Amino acid sequence: MSQDTPVSQMAEHLRAQLRHHNYQYYVLDAPTVPDVEYDRLFQQLKALETDHPELITDDSPTQRVGDIPLASFGQIDHEMPMLSLDNAFDGDDMRAFDKRLKDRLDQPDTELEYACEPKLDGIAVSLLYEDGKLIRGATRGDGSTGEDITQNVRTINSIPLRLLGEGYPRRLEVRGEIYMPKAGFDKLNKLAVSRDEKPFVNPRNAAAGSLRQLDSRITASRPLEMCCYSVGIVEGELADTHTGVLKQLSGWGLKINPEMQAVTGVEGCLEYYTELSARRDALPYDIDGIVFKVNSLRTQQRLGFVSRAPRWAIAHKFPAQEELTEVKAIEFQVGRTGAITPVARLEPVFVGGVTVSNATLHNMDEVERLGVRAGDSVVIRRAGDVIPQIVSVVAERRPVGTEPVIMPQSCPVCDSAVIRLEDEAVARCSGGLSCPAQRKEALKHYISRKAMDIDGLGEKLIDALVERELVHSPADLYHLKHLQLSKMERMGDKSATNVLNSIEVSKQTELPRFIYALGIREVGEATARTLAMHFGSLEAVKAADEDMLQQAPDVGPVVARYILSFFRQPHNLDVIQALIDAGVHWADIEVSEQSVPLDGQTWVLTGTLEQLTRSEAKERLQNLGAKVAGSVSKKTSYVVAGAAAGSKLEKAESLGIEVLDESQLLVRLAELEA
Ligand code: IVH
């Protein structure tokens, strides 16, 4: 910029640049300059405005956050009511909706074009722009009257204070959803916990709470975004389709959902629904369904409204991920390592697509954080494959006479003392393998598929064998007699023979399985394999000291200490010897560079493989030294994409990670295993 440019022009030039970079960064998520450059321009403008306060405009990027808190929110009457949507819960509802429209339009055989968008789970708001300037922001309220939240919406960076480009209507009311992305929510809650503050229950509540602040500086500190999905008052011309209008909004600097798409007919809608449901958990924000709208605005007009909802739109809801239920009791379970876990027994409730009747409470810190008691009404959440969890207690529904939960002093199963070490969140039964609960869990682990894989010996049979004192340690399994088994409940001659056969077959095993089966704390399947590949024999693992153990990939000081302490306990050595004496055997592994050609590499498998099962592919890769991970990151070396691979494949492509298909994987495995 040359010296003789008038200061006001310079200020306007800086503003235009800042608006552009703001749009690239917050709306398109594609910044073109580094943050420091944005900061430099911002500081330059700020300095200019400090020297020349008369140049400050209220749509200047420096004016987002007001410093005077409001006494209360004003009210705003919506010139056009903010409507709600009808819901569909399955394909039949959707087909009925489509048929209603076609019948009403008298075109039973012509497919309608629909605009599809995710239904964001946030707060509906209206923004009013006059001559391109944001002049007002309001909540939906009851649809006719909302609250004036102008101060707060101005702090949200994806909302332009001035529209970009030109050609926008003189008055333009934009409607959309303000929401908190999942990552921002997690960060905000971590911060709250670290400050001993109460975390938010979910991103929607966090967004609502953040918008309801009278002090906009608080709102400004919250990671909020806005995505636009329709218009209200328009004084001027707009495109003649819904998707066309939204694209215009995007051109003027407003954020629209990148998943928006136009499809033909109800079957197109259902395909979109299925595709997005599969990616729901991977989306960076919460959604609770898909909104389908007739794309032609003329057709929308012909269809009109019924009471408070348009005929031409519908929300196809996902099964609820949160539900209300009652805690019948809180019990304590004893795990394989003695960990005593409080578990809530629930009035069964259908949530996230399954019936849930138990929810782990993890440890007493969690019980205290939630303040949960038997008898409470609680919000249960089950999202995707995540285990069901209690999100919060509905305090006002607590019945009289409930009691706080107390950690038992002695093990509920064996009565041994319960000990909680200072640096651990969990309390443990001190009974070790004398505790039947720990014994049962240790045995169940020993026989499990990824350990010794003794099929036929189910969990119920283990419980019964331990209860009858027929089995104390894994070695006892190998001394079971046909008569003992056939006399057990629901066992006959044939099943007893089958069980004995699979026990016999399991004697011939592999070193990684055997190490995993021992149930050493923190030694999962992958670490057991690493130990086997690194040391080659059980003797070598046993003989290793802490430093040597840490030489194995992925073994840190904590795991090394657990391994060491396991092999120092005479009781464990006795069990191993008894197993070997009973005939359990394996081949040692030759330790050489050759056996780990994929050492240090991380592979991710996604989609459906046709010639291999996932676990076969995983095992073969691990045998070659690779780590097989569940999610794609910058550290991923290769992604194997089978049929119908979804978001992991997309992520790999976006990170530029090499992707192999199944046949390429097979060729590579064959070469390396040769
Ligand atoms: S359209 C006339 N589109 O869902 C059409 N709504 O009951 C009005 N919502 O409160 C809404 N995402 O806040 C529309 N892509 C989307 C949406 C969406 C979320 C919310 C909206 C409204 C509720 C509908």
Side-chain angles (χ1 to χ4, degrees), residues 436-626:
Q438 291 189 50
R439 223 182 307 143
K440 282 179 187 170
E441 294 308 315
L443 284 160
K444 286 175 192 171
H445 175 76
Y446 182 82
I447 64 163
S448 65
R449 202 169 48 80
K450 290 175 181 166
M452 301 300 278
D453 193 17
I454 312 187
D455 56 354
L457 238 183
E459 300 208 341
K460 292 234 165 66
L461 190 54
I462 290 286
D463 286 345
L465 289 168
V466 171
E467 275 152 29
R468 293 195 188 182
E469 308 241 348
L470 289 173
V471 172
H472 292 88
S473 94
D476 296 339
L477 295 172
Y478 299 93
H479 302 294
L480 283 170
K481 300 278 176 293
H482 189 277
L483 190 64
Q484 291 172 317
L485 282 169
S486 60
K487 277 199 309 197
M488 308 290 291
E489 212 179 306
R490 265 177 275 133
M491 291 284 288
D493 189 46
K494 190 143 180 264
S495 6
T497 308
N498 288 344
V499 170
L500 286 178
N501 273 344
S502 39
I503 293 176
E504 188 59 32
V505 169
S506 78
K507 284 183 183 171
Q508 186 187 334
T509 187
E510 293 149 8
L511 182 58
R513 281 182 181 279
F514 187 75
I515 295 178
Y516 174 62
L518 293 175
I520 306 167
R521 268 179 76 182
E522 299 294 330
V523 176
E525 191 201 353
T527 311
R529 184 172 299 278
T530 306
L531 289 169
M533 304 302 268
H534 186 81
F535 291 100
S537 72
L538 190 67
E539 289 312 311
V541 182
K542 263 188 342 196
D545 63 18
E546 219 169 300
D547 283 340
M548 286 158 79
L549 286 166
Q550 287 190 57
Q551 305 282 311
D554 280 348
V555 175
V558 175
V559 181
R561 237 165 285 144
Y562 283 135
I563 299 170
L564 213 58
S565 106
F566 180 90
F567 288 111
R568 277 202 191 136
Q569 291 176 43
H571 159 84
N572 291 330
L573 300 177
D574 291 347
V575 170
I576 294 173
Q577 194 53 52
L579 287 168
I580 295 171
D581 292 346
V584 176
H585 61 283
W586 56 86
D588 284 346
I589 296 168
E590 202 182 314
V591 184
S592 72
E593 286 300 308
Q594 278 306 304
S595 65
V596 283
L598 304 184
D599 191 21
Q601 294 187 5
T602 303
W603 288 58
V604 173
L605 303 169
T606 183
T608 316
L609 301 181
E610 269 142 26
Q611 304 184 51
L612 285 174
T613 65
R614 271 266 181 117
S615 40
E616 277 164 0
K618 184 172 172 188
E619 191 170 335
R620 287 173 67 180
L621 286 166
Q622 286 174 332
N623 282 339
L624 292 164

Side-chain angles (χ1 to χ4, degrees), residues 81-87 116-125 140 175-177 227-230 242 246 257 288-293 305 308-310 312-313 315:
M82 288 184 76
L83 304 169
S84 60
L85 291 171
D86 244 2
N87 291 325
C116 322
E117 293 156 33
K119 184 170 186 295
L120 291 166
D121 204 4
I123 313 298
V125 293
R140 174 174 182 272
R175 293 173 175 183
E177 202 84 349
C227 202
C228 305
Y229 55 64
S230 71
H242 177 74
L246 292 203
N257 200 306
D288 56 356
I290 310 288
V291 181
F292 297 104
K293 299 168 187 164
F305 300 85
R308 313 216 33 93
W312 41 264

Side-chain angles (χ1 to χ4, degrees), residues 421-435:
L421 298 178
E422 247 173 51
D423 55 347
E424 284 200 3
V426 289
R428 288 176 200 279
C429 157
S430 59
L433 288 180
S434 73
C435 171

